[in-house]
């Protein structure tokens, strides 16, 4: 998730909405995405879509991909997504359609969230491709990146607003209602039984906030780009992987 936050910080410092993600296949980052809605003026250039498209292109460019999968998107059964903000309804639906294995995200999306904040697309009956989505990972850091963006005037907004008097708030955050996303047993299985009180109190699991995610020096993404550019190394799944 720290890599996704670094990508989001890079986006922030290049004038883009600070939402970003990485896709991990067998322990390796094979794709990433940053929101491009501000630059492209397109509402569908979300981080998740950009990362998904890059993976499909990589699979199709791999000569022997059909030896391992019936369809290029079958690879997503072995891919985990780390994204700074809860996928919106549109992205949550796409992730479910392609069969993503697991989603980990930072802060909730209170207006458009598709993994529990508004709708629970990831676990509803619209498709058999249900997936578990774990929230709250570096949640406050993800919120601060968004707040930082919205304290500055966005000249590409439909109606730009004067925000010269806005200040970045570092000491108050919305409550995290864990039950919107996970049952208590799911929470304890992932975070540990010793964190159960966090679930009951709707408190963050991580006590300290890492303000370095906002640093202008923390925007180098060359290592992530290099990892994503590596040729895809496909391997047959073990029997236990299909369970």
């Amino acid at each position: 998730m720290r890599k996704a936050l670094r990508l989001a910080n890079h986006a922030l410092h290049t004038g883009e909405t600070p939402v970003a993600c990485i896709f991990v296949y067998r322990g390796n980052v094979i794709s990433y995405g940053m929101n491009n809605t501000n630059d492209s003026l397109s509402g569908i250039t979300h981080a998740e879509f950009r990362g998904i498209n890059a993976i499909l292109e990589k699979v199709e460019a791999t000569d022997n991909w059909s030896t391992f999968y019936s369809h290029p998107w079958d690879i997503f059964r072995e891919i985990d997504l780390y994204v700074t903000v809860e996928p919106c309804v549109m992205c949550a639906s796409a992730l479910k359609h392609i069969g993503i294995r697991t989603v980990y995200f930072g802060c909730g999306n209170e207006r458009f969230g598709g993994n529990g904040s508004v709708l629970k697309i990831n676990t509803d009956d619209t498709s058999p491709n249900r997936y578990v989505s774990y929230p709250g990972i570096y949640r406050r850091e993800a919120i601060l990146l968004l707040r930082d963006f919205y304290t500055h005037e966005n000249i590409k907004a439909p109606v730009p607003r004067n925000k010269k008097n806005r200040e970045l708030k570092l000491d108050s955050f919305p409550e995290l209602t864990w039950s919107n996303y996970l049952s208590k047993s799911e929470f304890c299985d992932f975070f540990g039984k010793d964190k159960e009180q966090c679930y009951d109190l709707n408190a963050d699991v991580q006590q300290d906030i890492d303000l370095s995610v906002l640093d202008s020096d923390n925007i180098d993404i060359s290592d992530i780009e290099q990892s994503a550019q590596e040729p895809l190394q496909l391997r047959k799944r073990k029997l236990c992987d299909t369970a």
Side-chain angles (χ1 to χ4, degrees):
M1 184 63 79
R2 293 187 65 85
K3 289 183 178 180
L5 287 167
R6 182 151 41 98
L7 285 164
N9 193 33
H10 176 89
L12 173 67
H13 283 86
T14 53
E16 191 53 76
T17 309
V19 179
C21 65
I22 61 171
F23 289 83
V24 178
Y25 171 73
R26 296 183 178 271
N28 297 311
V29 176
I30 63 167
S31 179
Y32 68 92
M34 293 179 283
N35 266 31
N36 190 238
T37 53
N38 212 32
D39 185 55
S40 68
L41 300 180
S42 170
I44 62 172
T45 52
H46 286 197
E48 296 94 327
F49 272 92
R50 302 183 77 197
I52 289 170
N53 289 335
I55 291 173
L56 292 175
E57 290 175 2
K58 289 185 74 169
V59 174
E60 292 171 349
T62 303
D63 291 337
N64 63 339
W65 71 262
S66 59
T67 304
F68 303 92
Y69 304 109
S70 299
H71 303 284
W73 56 82
D74 287 342
I75 192 175
F76 288 98
R77 298 174 186 171
E78 302 176 73
I79 290 178
D80 300 318
L81 168 67
Y82 295 79
V83 59
T84 58
V85 179
E86 175 188 3
C88 70
V89 171
M90 175 179 66
C91 291
S93 298
L95 291 167
K96 190 174 187 180
H97 178 72
I98 62 176
I100 196 77
R101 182 167 64 181
T102 313
V103 171
Y104 305 88
F105 68 85
C107 64
N109 186 338
E110 296 179 356
R111 296 180 65 189
F112 307 111
N115 280 189
S117 291
V118 180
L119 297 176
K120 296 183 178 180
I121 290 174
N122 58 308
T123 58
D124 67 21
D125 296 327
T126 56
S127 165
N129 296 331
R130 299 184 184 92
Y131 60 89
V132 180
S133 187
Y134 295 101
I137 304 171
Y138 291 102
R139 180 182 80 104
R140 290 171 293 182
E141 288 85 347
I143 290 173
L144 288 176
L145 285 168
L146 290 171
R147 283 182 178 174
D148 195 350
F149 176 78
Y150 287 111
T151 58
H152 299 85
E153 184 175 349
N154 181 7
I155 61 174
K156 292 191 175 182
V159 184
R161 298 178 181 179
N162 188 335
K163 301 180 181 180
K164 64 180 181 179
N165 294 321
R166 291 196 180 185
E167 297 181 358
L168 179 62
K169 296 180 180 179
L170 302 173
D171 55 359
S172 63
F173 298 88
E175 187 176 77
L176 170 55
T177 306
W178 289 103
S179 59
N180 286 343
Y181 313 99
L182 299 169
S183 67
K184 182 179 287 191
S185 62
E186 289 174 327
F187 174 92
C188 290
D189 286 345
F190 180 69
F191 290 103
K193 184 71 174 178
D194 60 312
K195 300 293 185 181
E196 184 175 1
Q197 190 176 27
C198 294
Y199 187 94
D200 295 332
L201 298 176
N202 291 325
D204 286 279
V205 171
Q206 293 150 304
Q207 297 301 311
D208 298 324
I209 303 174
D210 184 1
L211 295 179
S212 70
V213 301
L214 296 171
D215 289 348
S216 57
D217 293 335
N218 188 34
I219 60 174
D220 181 10
I221 61 171
S222 57
D223 59 320
I224 303 172
E225 292 175 322
Q226 181 176 352
S227 180
Q229 290 170 2
E230 293 290 330
L232 198 56
Q233 300 296 324
L234 300 178
R235 290 181 291 169
K236 288 186 179 294
R237 287 185 293 172
K238 298 178 181 178
L239 291 178
C240 60
D241 292 338
T242 63

